[in-house]
Amino acid sequence: MEQPAINSPENDFYYPPPDVVSMAHIKEYEALYRRSLEDPQSFWGERAEELEWFQKWDQVLDDSNPPFYKWFPGAKTNIVYNALDRHLKTWRKNKLALIWEGEPGDVRTFSYYSLNREVCKFANVLRSMGVRKGDTVTIYLPRIPEQVIAMLAAAKVGAIHSVVYGGFSVESLAERIQDAQSRILITADGGWLRGKVVGLKDIADEAIARQATIENVIVVKRTGQDIYMEAGRDYWYHDLMSLPISSTSCFTEPMDAEDPLFILYTSGTTGRPKGILHTHGGYMVFTYTTLKYVFDIKDEDRWWCAADPGWITGHSYIVYAPLLNGATSFMYEGAPNHPYPNRWWRMVENYGITILYTAPTAIRGLMRFGDAWAKRHDLSSLRLLGSVGEPINPEAWRWYYSVIGKDNCPIMDTWWQTETGGFMITPLPITPLKPGSATRPFFGIDVDVVNEDGHPVAAGEEGYLVIKKPWPGMLRTLYRDPDRYREQYWGKFGDMYQTGDSARKDQDGYVWVIGRMDDVIKVSGYRLGTAEVESALVSHPAVAEAAAIGLPHEIKGNAIHAFVILRAGREQSDKLAEELRNHVAHEMGPIAKPEDVTFVDSLPKTRSGKIMRRVLKARALGQPVGDISTLEE
Ligand code: WTA
């Protein structure tokens, strides 16, 4: 194996400051990691003992029917019991659970006591609307406290929540409602973004017209403009919350550890989005433990995960893990540079944020405005930083480390997925870091890089990133589609979970994630599928066929580029290209809007008719197209 050059990131170690190490929950990695792999059941059993259960498990892991693993079978709990009820019995009752700042500058705070009251009230509203254990509730809200309240209230009554990101649009929402078969939709009149109102209710009305399951809509008043309210179908949240039924005490439904907690739709290789299903027990133990050990959560911390609750990062690390740990979480509604590029840094200073967890795209976006905006603020409260969503380029890493962290805050670069529930490959605060590497696997996580035949590749070589043992936070199935679950994740290597990412391990065993090997594109850290963009394009009357690919973009990481064959009789024009871009934004959401649309007469396809996006991508980048023996033309 060739040794990396002296100045390469692979030899560029950053060591944690002594005070971070001395306060860390975990002071030694190797021995505990080895033990956690040799005996994952006792490792996870001990972690589970730190939480409360109505009834203990018969066994920690039931692996008798792979890949349908069960964690803590026989146990009864409810994640909300551990996230809220448990803390009300302690001094944390009066501790702040959530500090929220709206984009216009309005602030709301909730202690554990007051958050629990809101959740209880809303849980009673849901019960009074007939929501029962096992029902699905779709939540389509901006980044406001009601989003957290709605998720917790649904889980409290035993319903399954399906949160649709507030940046998604008509077709994405309709499809997700339909697949989840929700009767209830929780939305808002709108949300604030860059000083403008995003009219969520208008989008929701259009989506409801395209599906057949919604009976009632609960609408939070956030932005206050006039909206359409359908009599008998639509109700204001604040009206329901002030009804006499909404008493502030409410029973937390005991759930089997393996009962579903939520579905979160995410883009896969082909076709429609997949409903990733997570459960009360295993997901709870996993998110609780990962946040505690990786970000070293302490009672005096002010934790800020700058994601959106509409994605897995927000589910796990805005909503569930911080509350399970009894932490104080900060949440912000709007854009990072509104009204000025110091918005985030001002909030770090104002609230005394101690840990900031965000995505490389946000770091690159703020870095572009220069150092002065951050330097105007006192950021000395920060102790740890975090990154998630895509590989972080060493340049952004070093800026984050020196300008934001003042060379004093280790960066936890956490690799994980919607499917994994929580952090999988990640440093701990004690880990020597290398910029751009997510470093080593978390406890109990058996990671490898393998070739086409499933054999481990040599250090330094690129291969498929796989996980060789089940873990508590893993998805249990795809909602109503177990065959697709088996085929998608376990089809290629049998008993190894296939992540869809490529990676390599270096001479120190550090993992370097390279990126997706399938048709998933990470745009600004958001996970989108080429298939969804293509079907949005084809739903336009001018389009006969379409292909979408991701190409590198300085800030977004990747950007979507579309290739379109028009129907006979339609003329190519800049105006039509613009119309198609807007059409995708209207159907899927602004994040999916292609950078450009190129009109073509044909698309490279295999003989069986599959579009070879790889060929389009190589051509666009001026690279060799590789093996095209299966190409039809
Ligand atoms: C990518 C987000 C490199 C990866 C939590 C993965 C990363 C996909 C990292 C999952 C990281 C996430 N370094 N790549 N630290 N974190 N990814 O489901 O390609 O939205 O497969 O979950 O994001 O995206 P998802």
Side-chain angles (χ1 to χ4, degrees), residues 312 389-391 413-418 501 513 516 522 527:
I312 192 67
E390 55 178 321
D413 178 358
T414 60
W415 177 90
W416 58 295
Q417 309 179 297
T418 308
D501 279 10
V513 175
R516 299 294 305 187
K522 280 294 194 121
R527 179 166 162 181

Side-chain angles (χ1 to χ4, degrees), residues 330-341:
F330 173 69
M331 180 172 159
Y332 166 61
E333 176 183 33
N337 56 347
H338 188 84
Y340 300 107

Side-chain angles (χ1 to χ4, degrees), residues 240-260:
L240 298 170
M241 290 291 268
S242 60
L243 291 174
I245 47 157
S246 309
S247 83
T248 48
S249 76
C250 169
F251 171 67
T252 304
E253 195 76 37
M255 305 296 285
D256 287 341
E258 281 291 305
D259 276 337

Side-chain angles (χ1 to χ4, degrees), residues 25-45:
H25 277 117
I26 300 286
K27 301 236 168 15
E28 203 277 339
Y29 169 79
E30 298 296 340
L32 187 55
Y33 179 63
R34 241 177 293 124
R35 184 172 85 77
S36 74
L37 282 199
E38 281 157 16
D39 189 1
Q41 309 219 19
S42 52
F43 178 80
W44 291 116

Side-chain angles (χ1 to χ4, degrees), residues 346-495:
R346 196 184 79 203
M347 294 189 299
V348 168
E349 176 172 354
N350 280 357
Y351 298 104
I353 302 297
T354 58
I355 315 170
L356 171 64
Y357 183 44
T358 183
T361 187
I363 299 163
R364 289 191 295 263
L366 289 167
M367 186 170 118
R368 139 187 85 141
F369 297 111
D371 304 359
W373 293 102
K375 287 190 170 150
R376 277 170 39 183
H377 294 276
D378 176 5
L379 306 180
S380 61
S381 57
L382 289 170
R383 180 176 93 250
L384 290 168
L385 300 171
S387 175
V388 60
E390 55 178 321
I392 178 165
N393 48 310
E395 193 198 0
W397 195 99
R398 293 200 178 92
W399 185 82
Y400 195 28
Y401 189 78
S402 63
V403 178
I404 305 307
K406 315 292 176 207
D407 297 322
N408 212 24
C409 304
I411 299 175
M412 304 296 108
D413 178 358
T414 60
W415 177 90
W416 58 295
Q417 309 179 297
T418 308
E419 291 86 343
T420 71
F423 312 147
M424 299 292 280
I425 307 175
T426 173
L428 299 172
I430 56 165
T431 309
L433 305 172
K434 302 184 188 187
S437 170
T439 77
R440 308 281 305 274
F442 189 73
F443 302 115
I445 307 301
D446 195 359
V447 162
D448 215 341
V449 179
V450 301
N451 64 17
E452 200 66 40
D453 307 321
H455 298 302
V457 300
E461 260 177 51
E462 185 177 338
Y464 297 89
L465 183 66
V466 295
I467 300 155
K468 301 200 288 191
K469 278 194 172 71
W471 65 100
M474 68 194 299
L475 79 163
R476 295 303 191 270
T477 189
L478 295 179
Y479 191 58
R480 300 195 298 129
D481 205 349
D483 293 339
R484 194 171 169 207
Y485 162 72
R486 189 198 294 270
E487 190 254 326
Q488 181 95 52
Y489 300 105
W490 308 89
K492 192 172 174 69
F493 300 117
D495 56 354

Side-chain angles (χ1 to χ4, degrees), residues 150-281:
M151 289 167 71
L152 294 168
K156 187 178 172 84
V157 305
I160 307 167
H161 57 70
S162 167
V163 178
V164 179
Y165 169 55
F168 273 133
S169 196
V170 180
E171 185 56 25
S172 301
L173 176 59
E175 200 171 46
R176 284 159 173 77
I177 292 172
Q178 185 71 47
D179 192 86
Q181 301 190 318
S182 294
R183 284 193 304 111
I184 309 265
L185 175 69
I186 303 159
T187 188
D189 52 354
W192 290 106
L193 193 67
R194 278 178 213 96
K196 295 204 181 74
V197 169
V198 181
L200 292 193
K201 180 62 164 58
D202 300 340
I203 296 170
D205 286 332
E206 226 181 304
I208 291 169
R210 293 190 193 177
Q211 59 71 59
T213 66
I214 293 297
E215 291 166 15
N216 287 121
V217 182
I218 301 174
V219 187
V220 178
K221 188 175 252 173
R222 167 66 185 137
T223 43
Q225 78 282 14
D226 276 340
I227 53 161
Y228 169 73
M229 292 288 281
E230 188 168 304
R233 186 193 74 181
D234 301 351
Y235 298 90
W236 286 108
Y237 178 90
H238 57 264
D239 286 342
L240 298 170
M241 290 291 268
S242 60
L243 291 174
I245 47 157
S246 309
S247 83
T248 48
S249 76
C250 169
F251 171 67
T252 304
E253 195 76 37
M255 305 296 285
D256 287 341
E258 281 291 305
D259 276 337
L261 168 64
F262 66 83
I263 318 166
L264 187 55
Y265 286 90
T266 190
S267 302
T269 335
T270 50
R272 57 201 172 79
K274 310 174 290 187
I276 307 291
L277 187 115
H278 285 286
T279 57
H280 275 260

